[in-house]
Amino acid sequence: MAYDIAVIGGGPAGLSAAVQARQRNKSVVVISGDDRDGPIYKTERIDNYLGLPQIRGPELLERFRKHADSMGVERKTGRALNIMQMNGAFYISIGSDMAQAGAVVLAPGVARGVKYPGEAEHLGAGVSYCATCDGMLYRGRDVVVVGRSSEAPEEANFLQEIGCRVTYVAPREPEGLHGGIPFVKGVRIEVLGEKAVTGVRADGRELSCAGVFILRAAIAPTDLLPGLALRDGYVAVDRDMAASIPGVFAAGDCTGLPLQISKAVGEGLVAGHRAAEYLDKHK
Ligand SMILES: Cc1cc2nc3c(=O)[nH]c(=O)nc-3n(C[C@H](O)[C@H](O)[C@H](O)COP(=O)(O)OP(=O)(O)OC[C@H]3O[C@@H](n4cnc5c(N)ncnc54)[C@H](O)[C@@H]3O)c2cc1C
């Protein structure tokens, strides 16, 4: 589907940007992973959001979302894996799905770019971030799922259903994992192999496999969009929330301190407005 603006991340910053862009009559899609992975969902009580003292995090998120829905914002559940730019348009891959947009607002929250040893070297040579995209390549073979998101057990189940022999590695055993998928406790992870993946070391225990699916809730902005400039580890933006790539804006925790909801909402407003203005000027 083609939209005027694609927003990556359905937290306070992304939903605020989406609402503002809808006010400027732009078509908007918000692409976001499982709510349970967002920090606001885990917040018992928020005391410093103006006008709504002592509100629970999930309730505030629900209000933001209802507001966005009422404005005609489209929402797509899934992880944005990659953004490509071609002929003035952005193409966002979301698992095996794709969205096209004239401008992008990055609002994925804080995502650190720290990778496991061996991960970057084996990307595309046994390391994958997407079970639905790459699972068939490993049919009938041993794979390890490193589960770091709420959706990871479902993706592991999917891999088992299509015929992969799956081992699930995570700091603690998740709910919802199919019987027959062995669970291995693992915090310290290392991807093993020379040219291609041959195994994973999880807290010192070696698991032999041909593929490893590393399923995190968030992907570092520089992995999503190679070439994006950072400042102190956060997405570098100007006062218009414009990032270093024309047509790309950013808002919220991904742009830096303070990591707070009011700041995310305010920056989202600016990013949504400026993305709409950008389209008016360039399309
Ligand atoms: C325990 C805790 C308590 C807090 N208490 C307060 C408080 O009292 N007051 C306050 O102001 N702030 C508080 N915060 C901080 C506040 O939650 C954040 O500042 C705010 O949520 C940032 O909003 P955001 O939209 O930038 O990012 P987020 O809320 O992190 O939302 C980003 C969303 O994008 C999704 N996402 C990331 N990458 C991708 C991708 N590649 N594809 C699709 N989706 C993606 C994430 O899953 C997430 O749902 C607290 C945080 C924590 C952890």
Side-chain angles (χ1 to χ4, degrees), residues 8-14 31-35 37-40 42-43 45-48 78-81 107-110 217-219 224 251-254 259-262 264:
I8 315 296
I31 300 153
S32 199
D34 195 307
D35 280 346
D37 292 321
I40 195 166
K42 296 169 189 152
T43 306
R45 209 178 79 173
I46 297 158
D47 282 330
N48 63 344
R79 277 180 315 144
L81 295 168
V110 181
I219 292 171
L224 266 179
D253 282 5
C254 71
L259 308 182
Q260 292 280 281
I261 298 163
S262 305

Side-chain angles (χ1 to χ4, degrees), residues 139-199:
R139 218 175 170 171
R141 302 169 81 189
D142 292 310
V143 299
V144 166
V145 169
V146 179
R148 292 289 188 275
S149 73
S150 305
E151 289 159 350
E154 279 166 42
E155 298 200 44
N157 293 342
F158 164 78
L159 288 168
Q160 189 202 39
E161 280 161 18
I162 62 169
C164 301
R165 289 189 297 274
V166 184
T167 302
Y168 192 93
V169 177
R172 68 195 80 76
E173 190 160 4
E175 282 177 17
L177 204 58
H178 279 177
I181 298 182
F183 166 75
V184 172
K185 186 172 182 298
V187 178
R188 278 171 293 107
I189 306 293
E190 194 181 335
V191 179
L192 308 173
E194 288 295 322
K195 286 199 175 99
V197 168
T198 55

